[in-house]
Amino acid sequence: MRTTVRRHLGKVVAGTALAVAATAVMVGITLPGTAGADDTGGSKAGQTTGQAAAGDQGGAVQPGVVEQAPAEGDKGTGSDPLTDDELKRVERIALSRQLFNASQDVEGDRGPQRLGVDLAAPEADEVDDPDAPRRADVTFYDYKNDTVVTKTVNLDTGKVENTATQSGVQPPLSNAEQNEAARLLIADPLGAGLRADYQDATGKKLTAPDQLQLASMIYRAVPGAQPSALDVCGQHRCVRLLPKVKNGPWIDARSLVIDLSAGKVVELDG
């Protein structure tokens, strides 16, 4: 990895960043630092409008009034996004004592790894019903047996209406999983190139995930394209990291795969 990363590091801003951005589009991820790129244009437009208005009135621009955002209710209605209270409530309901005691998160602690909470689609016969109950899908990853557990909670009754358990399904990683993957890579001998290039770019030692901006993509086994140690990827939760120095360049770590289920780092052949 050392040779590969050093070769790319000097071209990262003009070359690798574009390549990574293109990859990100294909896998449906958002790279850090790309949101709000057009904010300055909007500000200038707003300033021009204000100056024109002042000219029409023949006087100074009056101070703007900022209205406080309406308070978020405890409960949404219809297809409204889930409120903070609803998010906390459904996760508490979905995480039963039985599931908590029988599962394991990415760090090996008791309890499943929380992946996300989403508003569930209405049932087919409820699409046009204004009084249809709101439901939420709460998704966990159980590292004890490599399964995705999704629980559907009825927000009106507070009951779990359905539980689905799937193997071989790999949703996008949570932030906690990305951080754990980075921690494993930084600590592993195969992370020597990453550590060295971070120090070259910043003059500082890389010791923790919070020193990086991270994006990631799930890795699945491709017959003949990896060492046998990665044949389980897809059943195991495996990831390739796209690390970036904060306010600096991307570092090419694509040749390394982190198997979160096994807690190890493997280098791709070739």
Side-chain angles (χ1 to χ4, degrees):
M1 176 180 173
R2 175 68 171 153
T3 301
T4 301
V5 179
R6 291 301 301 278
R7 185 172 66 246
H8 288 288
L9 187 56
K11 302 178 180 178
V12 142
V13 174
T16 304
L18 295 177
V20 171
T23 303
V25 171
M26 290 189 288
V27 298
I29 61 173
T30 301
L31 298 180
T34 59
D38 296 327
D39 289 348
T40 54
S43 298
K44 290 179 181 177
Q47 184 180 14
T48 302
T49 303
Q51 290 170 343
D56 292 342
Q57 295 171 4
V61 178
Q62 297 299 313
V65 178
V66 179
E67 295 185 4
Q68 189 172 14
E72 184 182 63
D74 294 340
K75 183 179 178 181
T77 59
S79 60
D80 289 346
L82 295 166
T83 67
D84 288 343
D85 285 339
E86 286 177 322
L87 289 170
K88 294 174 183 176
R89 179 169 172 253
V90 297
E91 185 175 356
R92 186 173 63 250
I93 294 169
L95 187 55
S96 64
R97 182 174 295 277
Q98 180 182 2
L99 175 60
F100 179 81
N101 289 333
S103 59
Q104 185 174 296
D105 68 13
V106 69
E107 296 180 2
D109 296 328
R110 183 183 297 182
Q113 183 65 49
R114 178 186 180 275
L115 297 185
V117 182
D118 299 292
L119 186 69
E123 301 290 341
D125 59 352
E126 298 174 346
V127 173
D128 297 321
D129 183 358
D131 298 320
R134 279 162 58 86
R135 300 179 180 89
D137 289 330
V138 187
T139 306
F140 303 97
Y141 194 91
D142 181 4
Y143 276 88
K144 190 169 185 177
N145 55 19
D146 281 301
T147 56
V148 173
V149 180
T150 304
K151 297 209 171 197
T152 302
V153 178
N154 186 312
L155 288 159
D156 292 341
T157 65
K159 294 181 178 180
V160 175
E161 292 187 341
N162 185 59
T163 299
T165 302
Q166 299 171 287
S167 298
V169 175
Q170 298 295 339
L173 270 72
S174 64
N175 288 335
E177 290 172 303
Q178 282 191 159
N179 287 336
E180 178 62 12
R183 187 191 69 78
L184 289 169
L185 180 56
I186 292 168
D188 194 273
L190 288 173
L194 172 65
R195 296 191 300 271
D197 285 299
Y198 181 89
Q199 187 157 5
D200 286 347
T202 66
K204 301 177 182 178
K205 289 186 176 181
L206 176 62
T207 59
D210 61 8
Q211 294 173 261
L212 298 166
Q213 287 181 301
L214 297 169
S216 63
M217 59 181 72
I218 292 293
Y219 180 84
R220 291 181 176 273
V222 179
Q226 75 282 316
S228 59
L230 297 179
D231 286 345
V232 293
C233 288
Q235 186 64 40
H236 279 194
R237 197 145 169 79
C238 299
V239 58
R240 296 167 79 180
L241 284 179
L242 308 172
K244 182 181 184 296
V245 177
K246 287 186 176 179
N247 300 314
W250 295 91
I251 298 177
D252 190 353
R254 291 170 295 175
S255 64
L256 300 175
V257 175
I258 302 97
D259 183 339
L260 287 171
S261 299
K264 64 181 181 182
V265 181
V266 180
E267 187 168 17
L268 291 167
D269 290 339

